[in-house]
Amino acid sequence: MKFRPVVKFLFLLIVCSSQLNAAEYVQLPGVVHVHSRASSGLYSIEELVTLAKGMGLEVLVMTDQDQVAVEYGIFPLRNLIKKRVERNSVLKLGPEKYLTLITQINQRQRDVLVVPGVQSAPFYYWSGSPIGENLTAHDYRKELLLVGMMAADDYRNLPLLNRGFSTRYIKELLPQWMVFLLSFLMGIYLIFQSGYLKPAGVIIALFSLALLVNHHPFQSSRFDAYHGDRGNAPYQDLIDYVNERGGLIFWAHPESNYSKSGTTLGPIRLMTTSYADSLFETKSYTGFSAIDGDSITLTEPGKKWDQLLNEYCSGYRRHPVWGIAGANFQGEAEGVKLDTFQTVFITKSKSTPHILDALAKGRVYAKQKEKGGGLKLDSFSVEDADSGATAEMGAELNVSSYPVIKFRVASDNNVEHAVKVLLIKGGSVRHQLEGKTPLEFVYSDKTSWASKSYYRLEVQGGSAGKLLSNPIFVDRKAALGALPESAWKPKESESDKAVIMEKETAGSIGPGQKQEGDAAPLVFKIDKAPPVNPPAGASLSDKQIETGSVKGDLSQSSDAESEKRAIAAKGTPKLADAQLKITGDSVPFSLQVASLPSFELAQNALQGFQQMNLPAYHVKVSLGDKGTWWRLYIGYYGAREEAMAARETYHLPEAMVQKTPYANLVGVYNSMKEISRARQQLGAMEYSPYVIRKSADSYHLYVGAFVTLKGAKDLQRELKKNGIASEIAKR
């Protein structure tokens, strides 16, 4: 009896401990992308904190502009003879003062945590002329949000145009500077000569000195504004810089179009068009504004965000791309308040390190609040039906059985709202339901699929606004039976090793893998039988190429082993010239449907797809110590949207749209009849050629489709060793 109080105490301790563990993470409503009077905002940071507290917000992520300035200089001394227009910014105020102010505000109050950051536009380029009054700065509003850097020097040394001195690009800029230095030294030498050489030396020395100062190698950016569009290289430089300093980077308002707004900075017109494609063309950033004041399409099922997430699942990206709400709050206007666009943080405590950790790991969701209230994602998880293991938002889960998805949606004000919920898996809507808040749902996904994928939620609430979750990744180690047996089963003549490898390593491509190689077989499910006739723009399969003679440049190949293994193409169906779409435009996109560790498996998969009348071809890629792999692609397309439409036509919901612009051109022919022998010889050497018709009598025969130029160069060297001449071309 005397032990009963101790037992009771231990029981209460266990109960309390379990309750604490269940409440380990809390939801903190916040706002990301906020401007104060330090840059373009109407309120001071103190006033913003007061405003946030009254609205129940607990986190403010400040993103005042780091620099608001443009310069236009006169050639050839653009850095010396110039006009500069500048407005308030963090760098003009002083980053030390800005960071100190935020620290002091956080020390004076605990209700609203203020996290430092900046909005950055690292590059712009000029068109027009100040004389013609049409001087325009392009891409000035192409911006990123930089969050979490805590040192003043991190902001002072940002790689921006027109920003003081830096040692970051000395090695790159030094050769040009050395030319002017040599010219200056030559001028000094001539000064000490007699006759007309002396005044010539003075002129050369003075002019060279001016060029030396103008082109000094201590530039803050390796670019200038006078040589046109430099693509995404300046933005990748900024992303790399912030990553090196432990910060986080988000693309701001990527679908905004400022080309028609008439925005100006003094007498200068500012023009920026939508830059959503930059999300594909840059890497290693943290995320983007998935909800903001603009009309956003890239978060729709199967569109750009899903493509980016699938690139992570396949190993093309090292990190997932997270979605946040970008408020771009500068002051209340047209009914938009500070709490209209919220990012809700799921974190252990209200501290800057924990907030940054939630942003870095995708433990946030984005919401847009309307006049009728707002929505709240009380819970969202995926559970393995077999083991019971669970993953929350932003995490990854290995599933041995089938996943069970659970979520609960409520309202901020406990008012009943009608909502529509989309459960999105790998870019496709797996399930949708309608109901009233609070809405709780459990969904068991028993469909057949393999490899890594993800689930995310989109909730539409009408007068209650909308909500977007970040994904939960699921790695399912299932058999390759998602495809028809003919598309993956090894032939009886193959080695036992190949069969064992195919059975034991089936699954996803792990994160962090190099672009030009894969680490495990990747095969996507075909929902139903594809159409009999491929859509226009699809590449030709082996079964669709007509037999005939060749007069291309492959006839020089005399490899005895290749001739011995040559595969006859007799009896294959013929394809009339008119059935192949003429495309003079670039066609850099493909659908990736498989990645396999041996040529035999890839060839069997290729034949399986071709038997279903799909225009498939495979590409050999190398991953160093991990060996050689074969990727299986379908078609070639001019735009990502065109490839996505083909994916729907072929009923391949989990196929990845990949930008594979680099290929090897091995011959140009006048008709389909001339291609057959070249195709046979390439096939005998374990290549998979395909044809693109460029005009009525111009048929281009390609091998390979690569994300990077390096892959095409490696293949070109290999083809040359086999006696095949080729050119590296952009499709």
Side-chain angles (χ1 to χ4, degrees), residues 44-56 60 109 112 338:
S44 67
I45 299 179
E46 293 92 337
E47 291 169 336
L48 288 167
V49 167
T50 302
L51 192 61
K53 181 181 177 181
M55 295 178 171
L60 285 181
Q109 54 85 41
V112 179
L338 179 60

Side-chain angles (χ1 to χ4, degrees), residues 298-318:
L298 56 85
T299 60
E300 294 175 3
K303 298 246 176 127
K304 287 183 170 63
W305 189 20
D306 287 316
Q307 291 296 311
L308 292 165
L309 294 174
N310 278 322
E311 286 184 355
Y312 167 70
C313 290
S314 69
Y316 280 90
R317 291 186 175 270
R318 288 183 176 273

